[in-house]
Amino acid sequence: MTDPIELEDLLHLARVAEGRGASLPEPAVARLVCLGLVRRPEHLCEGAPTLELTPEGLARVRSSDQ
């Protein structure tokens, strides 16, 4: 059983989608990772975002835009 996604989670998810995931507090990142919405890339290039959306996270962002 997974926890329901809260409004605050969606706001944090939007920040990741905008490339601002580095500014999230660590507990928020841990929650999004636990929910399966974001992940840390295996390889980071200089200047690359520190977090990326999973396919489920991308679907959530797209569905919340409609």
Side-chain angles (χ1 to χ4, degrees), residues 13-65:
L13 192 61
R15 287 170 58 183
V16 174
E18 295 169 347
R20 299 184 300 134
S23 65
L24 292 179
E26 192 55 39
V29 172
R31 179 160 166 80
L32 292 177
V33 169
C34 184
L35 290 170
L37 300 174
V38 301
R39 63 180 168 225
R40 296 185 191 275
E42 291 182 26
H43 303 287
L44 280 177
C45 298
E46 187 175 333
T50 58
L51 296 170
E52 62 186 13
L53 298 173
T54 63
E56 184 177 340
L58 181 58
R60 289 283 181 168
V61 168
R62 286 182 175 164
S63 69
S64 68
D65 283 344

